[in-house]
Amino acid sequence: MIATLAAIALALQPQCRIVHGRMFAANGNPALRIWVVGTKRILGIDVDEDLALDRLPANVRKLWKPVGNLFDASVYGDFRVCARKPQRDGVMQMVTVTHARNLVLARYR
């Protein structure tokens, strides 16, 4: 019985991992995404629809907000992402970003 409860609790926990990638704004839904460096994988970031960035870690907001237009820069770093749904081939996986470190701002202009 205890083993069954432990297995259920483990299955209900979000699958979290660290990815090295480039966070960027794009047209479409979701507007914020992370390209996982070295792959063809794009992760969709679950944030507010108006790109308020309130659900992102404070260090990402602090680095990105002074840029003004989010489409003018991207943020490279190591992001701890937690999956909202299981990963499927050919489908953008929705994630939440809980932590970020080793951040570098890359401006396009």
Side-chain angles (χ1 to χ4, degrees):
M1 179 69 169
I2 294 176
T4 305
L5 291 175
I8 291 172
L10 183 62
L12 294 177
Q13 289 180 346
Q15 298 296 321
C16 298
R17 65 188 190 276
I18 303 287
V19 297
H20 180 71
R22 176 176 63 100
M23 183 183 292
F24 63 99
N27 289 323
N29 188 17
L32 284 183
R33 303 172 185 185
I34 295 176
W35 164 61
V36 181
V37 172
T39 70
K40 295 180 181 180
R41 195 76 173 141
I42 302 287
L43 304 174
I45 302 173
D46 186 15
V47 295
D48 295 332
E49 292 178 17
D50 60 356
L51 290 178
L53 306 181
D54 294 337
R55 294 186 188 172
L56 293 178
N59 57 347
V60 175
R61 291 193 312 264
K62 183 179 178 183
L63 185 66
W64 213 350
K65 278 216 177 188
V67 172
N69 186 350
L70 299 181
F71 291 91
D72 290 342
S74 58
V75 177
Y76 285 87
D78 298 320
F79 303 97
R80 183 174 188 266
V81 296
C82 296
R84 306 275 292 163
K85 292 185 178 180
Q87 184 170 317
R88 293 181 11 214
D89 288 342
V91 177
M92 186 184 309
Q93 185 179 27
M94 293 301 294
V95 299
T96 56
V97 180
T98 60
H99 295 87
R101 63 178 188 222
N102 303 324
L103 300 177
V104 175
L105 182 71
R107 292 181 184 263
Y108 298 137
R109 300 174 188 183

